[in-house]
Amino acid sequence: MRYLNKLASVFCAAALGLLVLTSCEGGDLYGIDSPDWRSAMIDSIKNANTGGEEELEGMMEDVYTIGKTDYSSGWWADFSKYYQIPAGQVWNAQFNLNINPAATNTYKNFALILCNDEDRGAANYKEYGAIRFDNQPSGNSEWGDYIDRSLVSSNLTFETDTDPGVEKLGGKVTLTIDRTTDGLVVKMTNGTVTKTYTQTSTLPNLNADASNTTIRAFMVVEGSYINFLATNVEPIGGCTDAEDKQPVSLSLKGVPRKLLQGTDLTTALANVTAVVEFEQAITKTVGVDELTFEAIPNTDELGTKTLVAVYNKTYKGENCSTPVIGYTTFEVVDKMYTSIGATDNSTAFWGAHSDNIKVNPGETFVSTFTNYSSGANNWNNFLVVLTKQDATEYAVLRADNYGWGDGYAACTATCSQTDWAAWLAAVDGAKVTTYVTNNGDGTADVKAVIAGTDGVTYTQEYVGINTVDPEDFYFHFTVDGCHLEFDQVIGAEDNSSAFWAEHSDMINVPVGKTYSTRIKNFTSGNNNWNNFLVVLTREDNTEYAVLRADNYGWGDSYAACTATCSQSDWAAWLAAMDEAMVTVSVTNNDGSADVKCVIVGNDGNTYTQDYIGISPIDGSDLFFRFTIDGNHLIFE
């Protein structure tokens, strides 16, 4: 390891001039009672000889890059190493911050993240907060439960995030975190811009082990990149010297899981990146223009393909001695289902949303989808958002048993998993069923059942979410570095499946509850009955009733019901049923059941089918499922 300790220099003529002063009566250059102006002069001369840059002791070379050098790094995508700072210690770091010359947003720089002594994504990971280099008091330039924004000062303040001047943040930055008091002092400066955070109050200990007072620091970039230079604290994994390094492996990120047949491979891979690991365990993210690809076999035919990527550069960009190769697979398909988020998992937090669905008092809405994750962090998975119709939020619930919002604070959040690393790997491609319940009393419950790719079923439950208006309660899904596909299908997609050929999973309806779900109905259009059917049964499949989409049915319990519908022009209705969105609600009245179908046709009209008073029904044993007849269904 090469150390960059800097020694005090001899200040030649200036120093000699000062020595002359000592010959005067009472002169004492090095005395403890030397006049303040002498110390100031010495400091001034010292700074003049170092270009104004602060002299730091004990600095170790740590040379690596954070972020993509084409300035394409998105938020929370590229990170520095972890640096641990015990109580009573100071961390100094120096690096070159590269600002995109085309940047128009003040936040396109870097943020310092302070956390407990855990890895990102670990079950016990907790953040003190974040401090970004730009300063925008009305914006989001610092945040976190333990960061007080009023304690920030800066000599460059932006009123909005589009103010000019972001280029002033670039250059060689010195970052200092001082924990020599109970509080916290953070200073970041490039000699032109200086931002300081000074907290004198005691910093709480967020570590599970109360005897461990260490905090961790790391940096994340957005639309910029950092060439790290030196540190006085050895990072986790060790420092990296400046000599060139050979690549040893690569892993691909952003490869679409599914590719529509006929799509150009170059277009499909435009957002792909690779994390290349070099000697000394240093990594760098490279873009698609630095990789060579081949799909085996070719993408002209349907099926699973192996994507081979080759990288042949050293860390400094020279031709390497042995290229590294990475592999992944994707599917070439002839049909893409409803998706939320880009299929390469590049969609940022809150970047895409599903439809808003109303849940009535006493109703539980059931949704089924496949969750695909970038795998970077626990939170790079589906989110459930509970709102009013006007989008005012009650709560936001993440897939990893965490959330926020006024309604979230009172809820009890529980989950079945303990090994979060295994869970994160298993939710990529997992089948997820969510249950959103409006209890009708001002509270709501949400449950997610996740069938992991490892064969393990994981559950997340949020019980007692409050501040809910039961008459104004909606939910939708959003994403964060992931995408969701509503791809559960029953029936052949050419609508050739015969009556009763395929069935969906069964849904249990408890006494006094209404369970609803939504499907997209595709039909051959040959007859009214070539559409969805709802089957009411016991758990052992003993049937109560079978209900067709065209207000007809049969079974021991069907005869007692009253069947009504809104349509009178059956030819127009049948034409509208192809790709119609259907919401089916089943109510368990403990002795009888009601089924209501709300159909939004492809003509924009809404059609209803009601089957009221299906009886007798054993309230303790009521399930329903779907089947088909010359049609197919996609669950949404």
Side-chain angles (χ1 to χ4, degrees), residues 280-301:
Q280 295 186 289
I282 187 172
T283 61
K284 180 167 67 173
T285 301
V286 301
V288 67
D289 57 330
E290 299 183 68
L291 301 167
T292 302
F293 292 99
E294 184 175 357
I296 304 173
N298 62 51
T299 58
D300 296 335
E301 298 179 354

Side-chain angles (χ1 to χ4, degrees), residues 18-19 27 29 70 75 194 270 315 328 335 441 460 483 595:
L18 288 172
L19 290 171
L29 179 62
D70 64 356
W75 171 249
T194 300
Y315 183 70
T328 191
K335 183 178 180 65
D441 60 359
Q460 314 278 352
H483 78 282
V595 176

Side-chain angles (χ1 to χ4, degrees), residues 304-331:
T304 301
K305 312 296 177 182
T306 298
L307 183 67
V308 181
V310 180
Y311 181 76
N312 65 349
K313 299 293 184 182
T314 65
Y315 183 70
K316 291 187 174 181
E318 304 295 330
N319 289 330
C320 65
S321 57
T322 304
V324 289
I325 300 174
Y327 304 89
T328 191
T329 60
F330 64 93
E331 298 287 327

Side-chain angles (χ1 to χ4, degrees), residues 118-175:
E118 297 281 351
D119 290 349
R120 290 181 303 275
N124 295 321
Y125 173 80
K126 295 179 182 178
E127 286 181 8
Y128 291 95
I131 302 173
R132 221 168 49 204
F133 194 16
D134 64 291
N135 186 56
Q136 189 196 145
S138 62
N140 202 26
S141 53
E142 48 277 327
W143 61 90
D145 292 341
Y146 302 93
I147 296 296
D148 184 347
R149 301 182 67 186
S150 68
L151 304 179
V152 170
S153 64
S154 175
N155 65 347
L156 177 62
T157 297
F158 300 100
E159 296 301 323
T160 73
D161 64 13
T162 57
D163 283 3
V166 64
E167 72 280 354
K168 295 179 182 179
L169 302 176
K172 187 174 183 178
V173 177
T174 298
L175 171 65

Side-chain angles (χ1 to χ4, degrees), residues 10-76:
V10 178
F11 297 113
C12 302
L16 290 172
L18 288 172
L19 290 171
V20 170
L21 293 175
T22 64
S23 64
C24 301
E25 186 177 353
D28 183 4
L29 179 62
Y30 303 106
I32 59 174
D33 57 352
S34 298
D36 290 341
W37 67 267
R38 291 180 180 175
S39 297
M41 181 177 288
I42 293 172
D43 290 341
S44 175
I45 295 170
K46 182 178 180 181
N47 287 335
N49 281 270
T50 59
E53 181 184 322
E54 184 180 357
E55 294 275 345
L56 300 175
E57 296 294 330
M59 299 298 284
M60 298 175 284
E61 185 178 75
D62 195 14
V63 182
Y64 65 101
T65 300
I66 308 162
K68 302 179 183 65
T69 56
D70 64 356
Y71 305 103
S72 63
S73 289
W75 171 249
W76 213 253

Side-chain angles (χ1 to χ4, degrees), residues 534-538 542-545 547 586 593 595 614 622-624:
V534 182
V535 185
L536 302 187
T537 74
R538 294 179 182 268
T542 301
E543 290 174 15
Y544 296 116
L547 313 171
V586 179
V595 176
I614 302 165
L622 175 61
F623 292 76
F624 74 96

